[in-house]
Amino acid sequence: MALSRHSVATTGPLSVEEIVQQAQEFEFVPNRSLKNWLRSAQLLLTEAAICEQDGDLQKAYLYLYRHAELVIGKFPKHPEYKDPKLKADLAQAQKVVQKNLIKLEQWKPRINQQHQRYLKAVERRNTEKQRVQEERLNDVRQFHANDPLRQSSIGSEDGAYDRDEAQALNANEHRQLAVDLAHNEIRRRDASKQSTQRAGLSPSTVAARRQGFVAGSPEQHDKSSRHHYGFDTVNEGIREAGRHLQHRSKREPPKVDANQRAPGPSSYQYPSVPAKETAVDWRMPALQPGPKSESYRPPPALPTKEPPDGGRYQQDQYVPPVPPRPHQSGSPSPATATPSPPPAAPSKYTFKPTASTEAGTPLRTVLLPPDLRSAFLNLAHHNTSRNLETCGILCGTLISNALFINHLIIPDQLSSSDTCDTTEEGDNELFDFCDSNDLLVCGWIHTHPSQTCFLSSRDLHTSSGYQIMLPEAIAIVCAPRHNPDWGIFRLTDPPGLNHVLNCNQKGLFHPHSETNLYTDALRPGHVVEGPGLKFEVVDLRKG
């Protein structure tokens, strides 16, 4: 299973234990370079940050937990774990885990309470349905069948939770609506980011306030969290885990028993530190699901508004106010020191998956600007005329459960007639740009100046690296001298993705024993071309 695979809240809000079970379901392939795995871990943090900012704690929790599982539980088993060149990156990843574990503990009561609220709503609905059915079987059947009050009461109970749910749409059938929602949401995020920068607030502080926390100093926030959630023992356990990580980074990594089994999916625990290490026990009671908070009340659901007939959906846009000047004297309280922008209103729509992998796992819809290919070909024209390949990276963001590609990045690269490789410096610049702009790597695009439109064995290995990070990642091939002159592909899963990831052949181009390695991602598939979808071109090439 790919690293970013998820199925949170497909049938309603899940409990923390259920989210953890899903977070542990991914395949770790040791023969993939640890540097690439570190990038995959960073992508998980980006997805978590987007979900947190949008108020989707369930998915944010899944991505942060999976990041911790990857860094703590999987990386020490990688053959390159002792490489001195990666020591600093691994230490940084462990520090991030230490901070995120505190955040996960703070989210637990809210997630579990949302799950309990959902269960109670379902129970009320089922109880009411059963009561009505029993009454209708009695002698008063005719009375109840004609009683409008009875019918309306059934509907109100049945929809008690459903009113909080966003309307699920097919992006292929509502392309213009999807594009309009994306443009409005991207503008809102940009305005919110500018407002928080002017107000001097960090993104984490804004996200904390959005979830109902009052952001003061770190010490005040730590105390309020313990008081509100009763996390004295939990935070002590996490501090112990943090101390263990710091000590562990100064020691040689342990030898791992190849026969050691990972914890079963039904056991709830933080990522296990490899055997033969001492200190923290990640199964300690302090790190288990804590008591549910009774003070949280979810915000009221917004009424559903349908797009006007014959026109495009016009979503209200938030224009942030200019923050007031700081006080010249006095020290305001932490709760009122600086204003934060209002939280994002929950989207009235969500885009349901309309395609799935060969194993039946849903794939989120990818919205692609139709003009992106021509823009890329214009940039690649100089190389194409000289029979040299050109590659670009497709980057985007997550909005309403759909991926919108809004950046085409051309990294620094070395090209030949059959290959195109990013330079090490270009690689670093690419991911630094993505990290600083909260962008997800959604795949790549490249030319075949003289060859036909297909994925070579080398292309398959390149695509597998993107697809293990994001299962919806795509590969676009442009072959301007042939017909068809372009195609959008993804590796089959199974068998293509696992077959390529486990391929150890060394040749630049080599045959594979499996034939069903990739498939069309557009006709049919999970990719939808969004008319008018705006995108930005970033050319990082030297010279």
Side-chain angles (χ1 to χ4, degrees), residues 229-432:
Y229 295 113
F231 280 157
D232 287 307
T233 56
V234 173
N235 283 340
E236 178 59 34
I238 293 176
R239 282 193 291 270
E240 183 180 353
R243 288 193 294 270
H244 176 72
L245 286 175
Q246 293 173 350
H247 289 310
R248 175 178 149 211
S249 63
K250 300 177 182 179
R251 302 198 304 267
E252 287 294 323
K255 296 181 179 180
V256 181
D257 184 358
N259 297 322
Q260 180 183 355
R261 296 182 60 185
S266 61
S267 60
Y268 174 73
Q269 56 189 34
Y270 280 102
S272 302
V273 175
K276 299 185 180 180
E277 292 216 11
T278 56
V280 64
D281 178 5
W282 291 85
R283 307 183 193 188
M284 63 178 63
L287 294 179
Q288 302 304 305
K292 303 173 182 62
S293 170
E294 297 297 334
S295 61
Y296 169 66
R297 293 294 182 271
L302 296 178
T304 300
K305 183 174 71 174
E306 296 293 338
D309 294 337
R312 295 178 5 176
Y313 175 77
Q314 301 296 330
Q315 183 180 4
D316 295 337
Q317 299 181 29
Y318 160 67
V319 179
V322 177
R325 295 179 179 273
H327 295 288
Q328 299 297 326
S329 60
S331 177
S333 63
T336 60
T338 51
S340 62
S347 176
K348 300 179 180 68
Y349 302 102
T350 184
F351 296 102
K352 58 186 178 182
T354 56
S356 61
T357 67
E358 287 66 24
T361 305
L363 291 171
R364 291 171 295 189
T365 300
V366 174
L367 274 294
L368 177 70
D371 299 332
L372 186 143
R373 287 193 312 280
S374 59
F376 171 70
L377 287 172
N378 288 335
L379 290 169
H381 177 71
H382 180 68
N383 278 358
T384 303
S385 63
R386 298 162 59 204
N387 197 31
L388 297 175
E389 286 195 2
T390 307
C391 69
I393 309 301
L394 308 173
C395 298
T397 189
L398 180 66
I399 299 173
S400 298
N401 199 44
L403 294 159
F404 291 81
I405 294 177
N406 60 353
H407 279 77
L408 168 62
I409 303 178
I410 313 297
D412 192 39
Q413 53 196 266
L414 298 174
S415 301
S416 72
S417 59
D418 300 316
T419 64
C420 183
D421 296 303
T422 58
T423 63
E424 183 175 357
E425 183 180 359
D427 237 9
N428 294 332
E429 289 179 344
L430 165 67
F431 284 95
D432 287 345

Side-chain angles (χ1 to χ4, degrees), residues 9 15 58 126 209 211 299 391 463 526:
S15 66
Q58 295 231 334
N126 292 339
R209 291 188 177 185
Q211 300 305 323
C391 69
S463 295
H526 66 293

Side-chain angles (χ1 to χ4, degrees), residues 6-269:
H6 68 93
S7 55
V8 171
T10 54
T11 58
L14 304 180
S15 66
V16 168
E17 290 82 355
E18 292 169 326
I19 296 174
V20 166
Q21 182 175 343
Q22 291 187 6
Q24 293 172 334
E25 295 175 353
F26 68 93
E27 182 178 4
F28 182 73
V29 183
N31 62 358
R32 184 173 179 240
S33 72
L34 186 54
K35 184 177 181 180
N36 285 336
W37 276 117
L38 283 164
R39 288 171 178 162
S40 297
Q42 183 61 41
L43 183 68
L44 289 173
L45 295 179
T46 300
E47 291 206 69
I50 294 174
C51 293
E52 180 185 1
Q53 292 169 10
D54 290 346
D56 191 345
L57 291 191
Q58 295 231 334
K59 290 180 183 175
Y61 193 103
L62 183 145
Y63 291 132
L64 288 188
Y65 189 99
R66 184 168 289 174
H67 176 269
E69 177 79 21
L70 189 64
V71 173
I72 302 296
K74 303 297 184 183
F75 283 176
K77 303 176 183 179
H78 197 282
E80 299 175 4
Y81 185 74
K82 296 182 181 181
D83 189 343
K85 297 179 181 178
L86 300 175
K87 184 177 180 180
D89 292 334
L90 289 169
Q92 178 61 30
Q94 291 172 352
K95 289 181 181 179
V96 172
V97 169
Q98 182 181 348
K99 294 179 181 179
N100 286 340
L101 290 178
I102 298 176
K103 182 178 290 187
L104 292 177
E105 284 302 323
Q106 294 171 344
W107 288 352
K108 267 194 214 173
R110 302 175 68 84
I111 292 174
N112 278 330
Q113 188 162 20
Q114 185 183 24
H115 175 64
Q116 290 298 320
R117 175 172 171 257
Y118 169 74
L119 292 180
K120 290 179 180 178
V122 172
E123 182 180 3
R124 287 196 305 268
R125 179 182 60 195
N126 292 339
T127 300
E128 179 67 12
K129 284 184 176 180
Q130 182 178 1
R131 182 179 66 83
V132 171
Q133 290 175 355
E134 291 175 351
E135 289 182 351
R136 287 178 177 175
L137 293 176
N138 294 331
D139 295 338
V140 291
R141 177 181 304 174
Q142 187 63 36
F143 171 77
H144 287 289
N146 296 328
D147 186 356
L149 294 178
R150 176 69 61 194
Q151 300 300 325
S152 62
S153 68
I154 296 173
S156 62
E157 290 292 332
D158 190 39
Y161 188 85
D162 292 340
R163 283 193 298 270
D164 293 342
E165 295 289 316
Q167 182 181 355
L169 298 177
N170 183 328
N172 200 31
E173 299 173 355
H174 300 84
R175 300 187 187 194
Q176 192 59 59
L177 171 60
V179 171
D180 291 343
L181 286 176
H183 289 164
N184 287 331
E185 175 60 16
I186 291 172
R187 282 195 293 267
R188 186 201 65 78
R189 291 179 184 179
D190 290 343
S192 177
K193 185 180 296 184
Q194 294 173 7
S195 178
T196 57
Q197 289 174 349
R198 288 197 299 267
L201 298 176
S202 66
S204 59
T205 301
V206 176
R209 291 188 177 185
R210 188 167 293 164
Q211 300 305 323
F213 299 114
V214 177
S217 65
E219 294 79 7
Q220 292 169 327
H221 183 69
D222 183 58
K223 292 178 182 179
S224 64
S225 298
R226 288 199 300 269
H227 174 73
H228 186 68
Y229 295 113
F231 280 157
D232 287 307
T233 56
V234 173
N235 283 340
E236 178 59 34
I238 293 176
R239 282 193 291 270
E240 183 180 353
R243 288 193 294 270
H244 176 72
L245 286 175
Q246 293 173 350
H247 289 310
R248 175 178 149 211
S249 63
K250 300 177 182 179
R251 302 198 304 267
E252 287 294 323
K255 296 181 179 180
V256 181
D257 184 358
N259 297 322
Q260 180 183 355
R261 296 182 60 185
S266 61
S267 60
Y268 174 73
Q269 56 189 34

